[in-house]
Amino acid sequence: MNLVLLLATFSLFIGVLSEEGLNPGIVNVGAIFSFNTINGKVAKVAMKAAEEDINSDPSVLGGRKLSIQLHDSNFSSFLGIIGALQFMETDTVAIIGPQSSEMAHVLSNLANELQVPLLSFTALDPSLSPLQYPFFVQTAPNDEFQMTAIAEMVSYFSWSEVIAIFSDDDQSRNGIITLGDKLAERRCRISYKAALPPGPTAKRVDVLRELDKIQMMESRIIVLHSFSRTGLLVFEAAKSLGMMGKGYVWIASTWLSTVLDSFSPLKPEIANSIQGALTLRPHTPDSKRKRNFMSRWNQLSNGSIGFNPYGLYAYDTVWMIARALRLLLDQGGKISFSNDSRLDGISGSTLNLSALNAFDGGKLLLSKILETNMTGLTGHVQFNQDRSLINPSYDIVNAVGNGQRLVGYWSNHTGLSIVPPETLYSEKPNRSSSNQHLDKVVWPGGETARPRGWVFPNNGRELRIGIPRRVSYRDFVLLVNGTDKVQGYCIDVFLAAIKLLPYAFPYRFIPFGDGHKNPSYYELVNKIKSGVFDGVVGDIAIVTNRTRIVDFSLPYIESGLVVVAPVKKISSSAWSFARPFTPLMWAVAAAFFLIVGSVVWILEHRRNDEFRGPPKQQFITILWFSFSTMFFSHRENTVSTLGRLVLIIWLFVVLIINSSYTASLTSFLTVQQLSSPIKGIDTLIGSNERIGFQVGSFAEGYLMEELNIPKSRLVPLGSPEEYALALERRNVAAVIDERPYVDLFLSEHCEFSVRGQEFTKSGWGFAFPRDSPLAIDMSTAILSLSENGELQKIHDRWLSKSACSSENSEDDIEQLDLKSFWGLFVICGIACMLALLVYFWLMFRKFSRLPPEELDTTSPSTSRSTRLQTFLSFVDEKVEKPKSSSKRKRESMSRNGYHINDESPHRSGRMDRNMSQNGDSWLTQ
């Protein structure tokens, strides 16, 4: 409907064609430009040169002639639409243009309906999507690549913020939006966008109004994306305001390179206003055809306009259409047009919309254009799947003197380089930071050193630095009464750091707080976010909720929450030797000494004379053997294999226990011990005791939010004296505060001590607004102070107080309990059980093999108790050491009256039984 209304509105300007039509030997191509602009003039010369070259070679279009019809839109979208409608009624196969993106958005709809390809090398708005506008083709790299190049330049020079000045039209506005996206990918951003009236309507007063605002801002990196007339007006105004001097950086889009190329040498007033600016120029590889064309330029243009790369794109665009037409004709396509039936219904006596013809071969021609694969004046011309040209690249140009200086290249393949991009296409892409290079740049003001890129806002006014007005621990921040003088550890670190900054740092301290109690540090930091302070200096802990609203420097001192509680000294006593082990540990160890002694006695009793004798002597032997193993001084030898195995394991256990006892006892006797029921933060969490904290500290919020301690248990304390009084009177069980405060407190109060370890890890830093470069520069300065030792000297000057003796910082040495050794006891216990089981199994086996006559239990009525007594007697029986086999054989034969050759079956069986018993006895030997 919108298209129909648009056609109805402008159909009054359309003439009626004759019925015969046009000469079939002529192929019409339209061109819509503002021909009084730089690119309009260059495009006109280049397109006519291409037309002439094509028509001079009959083989290009098979004998047909190409006719390029020019229409001057004169910066007017209205006139551009009129020109397009006129072309549509003259059977135009394609249109080159328009020059601006806002006109391209409108004409692309018309091209879609009438299927006439629309090709532009200057309307490079990234938002002109081929999905929405399928018949619109950009024949030069669009602004997405240009903005990527600018973003990579900003990142290369380590700047974090830029200010964007642009004409408020579709192309410039969408280009700046794209720039913002590309900067964000590199952790940079646009801090301010200055929109100027579009096209030639911008006035000097409009420019000055925006530049006045920019002068008062922090960033000095300015990106100018506009057209030549507006851009030069901005530079002239900036020059008059002193914004082309030292410290500023100006990066202009490709419009400035067209000025440098087409008006060389520049007029002095223009050259002076752009000194030190950087700009981009579409890169076109060097070739013989390109040099020949450039040598013809003065003859083609009659000296009316200098050459720039957009002339090459204009020339290649015409050839692109000609080659596509030739392919269309070669494949049997025809150049024919037909009326759109949808327009017949709205024609009337005053409207002649039927004269608008649709190109029947438009879709085929478009496909041939997109299949272009040729070598033109701009290099290799080919489209990607997204319909953008392959290998987009730019020259990076520095405006110097009365001309320009090439400082490098950017390509979508390898990023920034100092060699032509076409030499790198054969290599693997490498976008690493170490592979990005540019030559030296002459910046505004004639400086060659990289500008910092920012200044203090509001044109150098003093920064408002907030400091806490403390009422306690004034060693950190102290306001001298009756004066404006501020001193303290934190202040000295800050003053030392700003001396290392490579620029002046105007500031003034502004105290925060009522002077009656320590201020809330969260409120102090929040004043930065609200714009009251430009920074905060003091004992500011770097914690999560603060990092969400400000940026911190690196910490200049480590910190963390600790627990302080009353302690009492533990003096030595007559029973100090028992302190290394807990009572349970002593009991279990003593029990195992007796158990192991008993097990070894059982295993050795039958064969070892040292483990035999009267019951009283055997009991003493068990006790003596058990406890003598503690000192490895036992006299008794073990002869059985099982006994030796148990003893080896037990001696290893004794070795571990003995070593641990010695080390623990040494610590108890050589370190003065402090005792307190509070062992650390876990003790406080598990109790209902009240806990003190410093007024204004983040500790209160941390205890409630992170550790879920009720607010009713928390007691605010304002000074070290209140700490000591509350702890002495047991108003609080402990005080939780940051380590630097606690160290100062304990230097004067030796009756208290830190209990447990720090349960948070943080540090103190200086706070600045989000994304402020000051945070980075101050961090660098703090690192330098740390490396040269100055930071430690400041610490020693303010915080090295005379401390209490070492007991203040020592925790109780824990007693060794059973859980430290239970694994050893389990192993030893299992070994004893297994040894006993094996031993009694062997004894039972031997006992069961004895003949009935040797057991004295031949009567069937023998009771179980009698048999058990017999078994115990057998176990208690002394076993003689086995004799050699030959001697045992002789004695047996002599005792039974046999000669050596007399062997009865009974004797043979008895010998076998003896051998079997001797074979089982190896485990008990």
Side-chain angles (χ1 to χ4, degrees), residues 727-748:
L727 290 169
E728 289 171 356
R729 294 180 177 178
R730 298 295 189 265
N731 294 335
V732 296
V735 171
I736 291 179
D737 206 349
E738 295 178 72
R739 189 80 200 211
Y741 301 126
V742 169
D743 289 342
L744 281 181
F745 173 72
L746 294 181
S747 68
E748 299 177 356

Side-chain angles (χ1 to χ4, degrees), residues 465 525 528 534-538 540 550-553 765-769 775:
I465 304 298
V525 171
I528 297 177
D534 299 309
V536 169
V537 170
I540 313 298
V550 297
D551 280 350
F552 281 94
S553 67
F766 304 132
F768 299 98

Side-chain angles (χ1 to χ4, degrees), residues 26 53 56 64 98 105 216 222 310 313 338 401 421 523 610 670 689 691 715-716 735 737 795 813 879 892 905:
I26 300 296
D53 291 345
S56 64
R64 296 172 184 259
H105 281 279
M216 306 300 288
I222 303 173
Y310 287 102
Y313 285 105
S338 60
E523 293 180 8
E610 294 180 345
T670 57
E689 301 284 351
I691 303 170
V715 179
V735 171
D737 206 349
H795 180 277
I813 299 176
V879 177
S892 177

Side-chain angles (χ1 to χ4, degrees), residues 124-128 142-152 162 164 166 170-186 188-190 193 223 225 394:
L124 303 175
D125 181 358
S127 68
L128 286 165
N142 73 35
D143 282 350
E144 178 182 357
F145 301 107
Q146 182 178 194
M147 296 304 142
T148 302
I150 293 175
E152 293 199 5
V162 304
F166 61 97
D170 287 350
Q171 181 157 329
S172 298
R173 187 188 314 111
N174 292 331
I176 293 301
I177 292 173
T178 303
L179 175 62
D181 295 338
K182 299 301 179 182
L183 287 171
E185 293 174 3
R186 292 155 181 82
C188 306
R189 70 185 186 100
I190 298 175
K193 296 178 181 179
V223 176
H225 186 40
Y394 293 91

